[in-house]
Amino acid sequence: MIGATVTVKELPGTGSSANTYGYYSVTLPAGHYQISAQFMGYAPQVQTVNLNQSQKIDFQLTEQVNELKEVVVSSQRKNENITKLQMGVQKLDTKDLKNIPVIFGEKDVLKTIQLLPGIKSAGEGSSGFNVRGGATDQNLILLDEATVYNASHLMGFFSVFNSDAIKDISVYKGNEPAEYGGRLSSVLDIKMNDGNDKKLGVSGGIGLISSRVTLEGPIVKDKGSFIISARRTYADLFAKLSKDSTINNARLYFYDFNVKANYRINNKNRIFLSGYFGRDVLGLSNTYGIHWGNSTATIRLNHLVSDRLFSNTSLIFSNYNYKINVNNGIEMNIISRIQDYSMKQDFQLYWGNNNTLRFGINSTLHKIIPGIITAISDVDLKSMTNKHAWENAIYISHQYGLSKKLSVEYGARFTTFSIMGPGKFYTYDSIADPRDTMTYKTGQFMRSYFNIEPRVSFNYILNDASSLKASYSRNVQNLHQLSNSTSGSPTDLWIPSSNNVKPEISDQVSLGYFRNFCDNQFEFFTEIYYKKLQNQIDYKTGAELNFNENVESQILFGKGRAYGLEMFLKKKYGRFNGWISYTLSRTERKFDGINNGNYYPARQDKTHDISIVGIYELNKHWTFSSTWVYNTGNAVTFPTAKYQIDGKTMMFYSNRNANRMPAYHRLDFGATWLVKKTKDFESSWTFSIYNAYGRDNAYMIRFRNNELDPTKTEAIQTTLFKFVPSFSYNFKF
Amino acid sequence: MKHPIIHLAIALLLICSFSSCEKVIDLKLDTSSPSIVIQGNVFDHDGPYKVHISKTVAFTEPNIFPPVTNAKVTISDNLGNSETLKESSPGIYISSALKGKSGVTYTLTVEAEGKTYTAVSTMPEPVSIDRIYIRKSEVGNGREVAFDFHDPAGIDNYYRVIEYINDSLKTGIYVGNDKLYPGKIITFALGSSSIKKDSVLQSGDRVRIQFECIDKGVYEYFRTTRGNSDQSTSPTNPTSNISNGALGYFSASTVRQDSIIYR
């Protein structure tokens, strides 16, 4: 249980919290102690120990049943947010995830994190998100340590994460610990469920457009467990009912599987296997089809080297690819793929209370086929030339309590990124024509980049209920996504740093004030941040991004800056809980040749962003929830004039992103009806309505001649979703 | 020969059509100072050829574009010929003796309001239409007008197609290249046939196609006009082959035409 706190009753202030593998370490003088373990939403457990030598104490926390929740009396260590060093991090409770309404009723991690401060939606119904002014490709999305390159199903209306298969979600907003790296803006670290090691169980849900089922149980009781989750949408089955054969011949679905198993070999060794496989299929009769999907696999070994030294070894594989097939007499295929083979070794050394050293190495081989277009029908992926890149990192970080009030974590990540042969590399002249071609052999290094990424954070505890935190971190990104759509398309292209593309670099400083009220019932924080970005990517006017061998010649490099204020107030306990989140921010870019080289707002710049979430438990059977969101519209470019060419009206554009989309706001409702809950069987219904007051939110604005009076032009707004109801039936036995 | 992204857009549209809706909105738009717009064409058939010169207007104004009069418009070629065009009506300049030829490079010079604008375009070799026909739509149930042509091997070719329905320009202008199918027979399907059963075409309509071979600069201009009127990406002005910041294009192209009655 990640982040569960362990405290010692006899020595207040002493304790620890479990690491990402549920492992903890506390150093105490010999004696008789009562040690308790707690985790929000779970019943605390206390064990009495007589300590005269090193001991291993395991806790099994169970989910609190409803009746108990009302009588929970706050005990120590509910102020974890105050005492913990880390800032700019947000954990999402999987229990909140269950209750918050989302579109189409499909519980969704990526939609729910967008309700937190500093994390903004990339568009209506989109699973893409922007963290502190970063682009959507500047988020590192990890599923059991494996990178997920495209987290969207069905054009982003769903995320690839099946919430039934997820145990823990953390988002680091740019100041992540040194063990993470590779993206500028954030790390979204998702851990899969381990499965129940006590008894076999089945759970699932049947919804309007998708169904899911999960099977979990022990491999060997108390020693190992497994979980298998599967999900499929059936929008295409509804499409079949349509009389229009264009629609009823359409293929439109996705499916995904999550599999995980773990086994405790002995007290010192535990092994985990986890995998994900998902596919999207979209097609119109036989003439057009697109398939895309991710697959990941992780093998992990936890090993206790000694009482104080914990080791984790992981072997990771990740794959994302898409294939577009067009067949209108002549066949055409477009193929793109990115593959990672990775090895990770982490150590945690518990020197003493509040004195921990973390260090490790990480090595990844990236193989990239960046969008190839071919007229051959059966393309052998093996025969295609990959771009090879080798990424290595060593990190070290030390967390230390300088005094009872002041603690510090400092460290650095040393990274190398090398682009290698075999392959051809080009240099370009000023008009983007290839100037030189260089051919490299297998394994030959073409270009390497070395970077040091320092990270430091401080926490000064003012008192039991408040603290001040500060941090600085540098992040480097060597894989860059080229996208010519806003909300993310499966055909977005990943390219590595190369002789033409330099690594992106960000430096972020942030300062935060954390305060709890009413005996930790309310949690409040405010953070300010300033971020400087180097080697940001944009495209030349009229850039041809797709299927262009010389795509690197179409890129412009520039600077960026982002700054903002985030506020968050959460009521954590009780029948009524929820939060208010507010972000005031600005994010700007500066490129030679765009807007005369002046700073201009990035597309994702949204001045105000507000989310209000409320969850109310009426009684044992009914829970109601509601969310309301408001944000300033994206920065966009509207025409400043029009003209005529070949009898057609054309739009004239001046400054990039000088205009705003209309403000976005929306209210959603959700309700959960727990029909039956016994030890052996549980069933519930969930209902939701998306955009309950039917706000016409602008998804897109187009400009055209009025159809009836062609001497006039007009602006047309497209709205995607209004009053979208949904329901689903969930069961567990 | 449609761009695959267009297919993706069609597919997306299908998904969204389940619940999306559209409406006309009022937007407060900025207005930039008027810019000059030049469109000039030289074809391989007999002249006169036209050069249109006009100005931009604010988005809120009616679609009446002020002509630029009294400009000095010259078209010269690399064989030493040069002709100054006459203003036949305000903003429209026409040639008299000039005759377009494949392989010849033409230079357009416009002197207007104290500024000089130039553009260069080379007329490619002609490609003829093999046949025009009506077939089942590649997407959906409708029928569509398509035509075949044989792409000459060994050189990069760029094409422009303009579709007229009953002699009025209806659905638009398309450009393409032979990158994927060099030296092959290429089929081009026209956009008038919608993806739904109800085509915009009525039985008895005459569909005429103007099929042009254009040079790379003109192809780039039309390629970069895609997405000119929506906000799905950051829209920009198309890459013009005319100097000094003028909008529009100058093209020397070969033209072949054919037509079919839609039934």
Side-chain angles (χ1 to χ4, degrees), chain A residues 595 600-601 635-638 640 654-660, chain B residues 30:
Chain A
N595 291 7
Y600 64 92
V636 289
T637 316
F638 288 147
T640 57
S654 304
N655 283 337
R656 172 89 59 103
N657 294 352
N659 305 91
R660 290 277 166 188
Chain B
D30 307 326

Side-chain angles (χ1 to χ4, degrees), chain A residues 245-246 287 330 332 484 542 637 640 642 646 651 653 696 701-703 705 710-711 713 715 717 719-720, chain B residues 19-23 25 32 39 57 59 61 63 138 140-141 160 169 180-181 223 228-229 231 233 237 249:
Chain A
S245 74
T246 307
T287 52
I330 313 174
M332 179 172 76
N484 40 18
T637 316
T640 57
K642 60 185 174 183
D646 285 311
M651 299 302 150
Y653 299 95
D696 278 324
I701 292 176
R702 289 180 296 130
F703 302 91
N705 281 349
T711 65
T713 39
Q717 170 185 298
T719 299
L720 280 193
Chain B
S19 70
S20 68
C21 61
E22 288 190 340
K23 67 173 183 185
I25 53 162
S32 54
Q39 182 202 332
V57 298
F59 183 81
E61 300 281 311
N63 287 344
E138 38 174 291
N141 262 354
R160 177 167 91 140
L169 175 68
L180 268 180
Y181 320 101
R223 184 182 68 76
N228 175 269
S229 58
Q231 295 300 308
T233 52
N237 301 311
Y249 72 96

Side-chain angles (χ1 to χ4, degrees), chain B residues 102-123:
Chain B
S102 287
V104 177
T105 300
Y106 296 90
T107 304
L108 169 76
T109 310
V110 172
E111 286 171 45
E113 297 172 343
K115 276 184 154 181
T116 305
Y117 308 91
T118 56
V120 177
S121 178
T122 302
M123 189 178 293

Side-chain angles (χ1 to χ4, degrees), chain A residues 154-155 157 235 239 243-247 249-250 252 282 284-285 287-288 290 324 326-332 334 373-375 433 484-487 489-491 541-548 554 603 636-654 656-662 696 698-705 709-722 724, chain B residues 1-5 7-12 14-33 35 37-39 41 54-65 135-142 160 162 169 171-173 177 179-181 184-187 189 195-197 216 219-239 247-249:
Chain A
L154 279 186
M155 306 310 180
F157 297 134
K243 280 193 182 130
D244 188 324
S245 74
T246 307
I247 292 174
N249 273 332
L252 171 70
L282 206 142
L284 294 170
S285 53
T287 52
Y288 172 74
I290 168 165
I324 300 172
V326 180
N327 188 347
N328 51 333
I330 313 174
E331 183 145 351
M332 179 172 76
I334 300 153
I373 189 160
T374 162
D433 282 332
N484 40 18
S485 67
T486 46
S487 48
S489 137
T491 58
T541 303
E544 179 84 291
L545 295 184
N546 290 95
F547 334 121
N548 182 351
Q554 304 288 305
R603 190 180 170 101
V636 289
T637 316
F638 288 147
T640 57
K642 60 185 174 183
Y643 57 102
Q644 204 170 36
I645 289 290
D646 285 311
K648 275 183 81 179
T649 308
M650 304 279 294
M651 299 302 150
F652 177 73
Y653 299 95
S654 304
R656 172 89 59 103
N657 294 352
N659 305 91
R660 290 277 166 188
M661 291 292 269
D696 278 324
Y699 179 70
M700 190 168 77
I701 292 176
R702 289 180 296 130
F703 302 91
R704 66 170 188 206
N705 281 349
D709 180 2
T711 65
K712 285 187 181 145
T713 39
E714 59 194 9
I716 307 286
Q717 170 185 298
T718 306
T719 299
L720 280 193
F721 302 118
K722 276 161 77 174
V724 183
Chain B
M1 216 166 104
K2 281 182 203 160
H3 200 268
I5 297 305
H7 288 270
L8 195 64
I10 293 170
L12 253 176
L14 269 178
I15 304 171
C16 299
S17 65
F18 288 122
S19 70
S20 68
C21 61
E22 288 190 340
K23 67 173 183 185
V24 175
I25 53 162
D26 266 332
L27 276 181
K28 216 183 138 275
L29 298 173
D30 307 326
T31 300
S32 54
S33 55
S35 303
V37 182
I38 301 170
Q39 182 202 332
N41 296 85
S54 60
K55 287 274 178 89
T56 61
V57 298
F59 183 81
T60 45
E61 300 281 311
N63 287 344
I64 299 163
F65 301 96
R135 65 170 192 185
K136 190 186 166 300
S137 299
E138 38 174 291
V139 179
N141 262 354
R160 177 167 91 140
I162 305 179
L169 175 68
T171 38
I173 299 170
N177 62 30
K179 235 180 184 170
L180 268 180
Y181 320 101
K184 296 213 168 100
I185 290 170
I186 297 178
T187 300
I195 55 163
K196 293 262 172 66
K197 220 171 191 172
K216 196 184 176 197
Y219 168 77
E220 280 299 306
Y221 174 81
F222 282 97
R223 184 182 68 76
T224 53
T225 59
R226 283 177 197 147
N228 175 269
S229 58
D230 67 46
Q231 295 300 308
S232 56
T233 52
S234 292
T236 50
N237 301 311
T239 315
L247 300 167
Y249 72 96

Side-chain angles (χ1 to χ4, degrees), chain A residues 421-487:
Chain A
K424 281 183 186 154
F425 297 89
Y426 303 97
T427 56
Y428 299 98
D429 59 21
S430 56
I431 57 159
D433 282 332
R435 191 172 54 200
D436 281 317
T437 308
M438 294 156 286
T439 307
Y440 282 79
K441 290 195 202 81
T442 305
Q444 208 177 353
F445 284 64
M446 198 271 150
R447 178 64 69 93
S448 293
Y449 290 100
F450 172 70
N451 279 289
I452 300 174
E453 304 169 38
R455 319 258 167 104
V456 58
S457 34
F458 295 95
N459 181 12
Y460 185 76
I461 297 172
L462 298 166
N463 55 45
D464 259 5
S466 64
S467 68
L468 277 176
K469 302 183 193 182
S471 82
Y472 161 76
S473 68
R474 164 169 281 207
N475 287 311
V476 174
Q477 177 163 349
N478 280 300
L479 288 169
H480 321 274
Q481 191 178 42
L482 305 183
S483 167
N484 40 18
S485 67
T486 46
S487 48

Side-chain angles (χ1 to χ4, degrees), chain A residues 76-281:
Chain A
Q76 67 271 63
R77 280 293 187 161
K78 277 188 172 171
N79 61 347
E80 197 205 3
N81 57 318
I82 303 292
T83 56
K84 227 180 162 176
L85 189 59
Q86 187 72 45
M87 67 184 295
V89 58
Q90 253 164 331
K91 295 215 174 230
L92 195 64
D93 196 332
T94 46
K95 298 184 79 179
D96 283 342
L97 198 63
K98 273 186 209 167
N99 290 318
I100 293 171
V102 290
I103 192 160
F104 304 129
E106 188 77 18
K107 291 174 279 175
D108 200 315
V109 179
L110 296 188
K111 306 283 175 53
T112 309
I113 62 165
Q114 293 169 8
L115 299 169
L116 299 170
I119 306 169
K120 299 178 186 190
S121 165
E124 174 83 86
S126 171
S127 51
F129 58 99
N130 302 107
V131 178
R132 290 185 170 174
T136 48
D137 74 320
Q138 293 173 347
N139 305 313
L140 179 64
I141 302 176
L142 297 174
L143 180 65
D144 271 353
E145 299 177 69
T147 305
V148 175
Y149 281 95
N150 185 339
S152 300
H153 274 315
L154 279 186
M155 306 310 180
F157 297 134
F158 298 89
S159 84
V160 300
F161 304 110
N162 178 349
S163 55
D164 284 355
I166 290 167
K167 175 170 75 168
D168 183 87
I169 304 129
S170 307
V171 197
Y172 299 92
K173 296 185 281 190
N175 39 348
E176 47 266 16
E179 65 201 83
Y180 298 102
R183 296 290 184 281
L184 292 195
S185 295
S186 78
V187 175
L188 173 63
D189 192 7
I190 299 176
K191 298 270 189 275
M192 279 196 236
N193 259 331
D194 290 322
N196 191 331
D197 65 359
K198 302 276 183 220
K199 71 179 184 79
L200 196 68
V202 179
S203 62
I206 299 160
L208 258 185
I209 57 165
S210 77
S211 283
R212 59 208 143 71
V213 64
T214 299
L215 174 70
E216 59 182 321
I219 295 172
V220 177
K221 205 178 173 207
D222 293 333
K223 283 202 116 180
S225 57
F226 73 93
I227 181 166
I228 301 169
S229 289
R231 191 163 65 136
R232 192 199 191 278
T233 57
Y234 28 78
D236 52 329
L237 302 182
F238 287 105
K240 289 247 182 319
L241 302 174
S242 166
K243 280 193 182 130
D244 188 324
S245 74
T246 307
I247 292 174
N248 67 30
N249 273 332
R251 280 158 289 146
L252 171 70
Y253 62 90
F254 71 77
Y255 58 87
D256 53 31
F257 296 97
N258 289 78
V259 180
K260 188 164 180 180
N262 75 88
Y263 184 72
R264 207 185 310 266
I265 300 163
N266 53 37
N267 264 349
K268 294 202 161 164
N269 294 292
R270 192 171 179 192
I271 190 162
F272 298 79
L273 295 172
S274 49
Y276 167 86
F277 183 81
R279 282 279 118 179
D280 275 68
V281 178

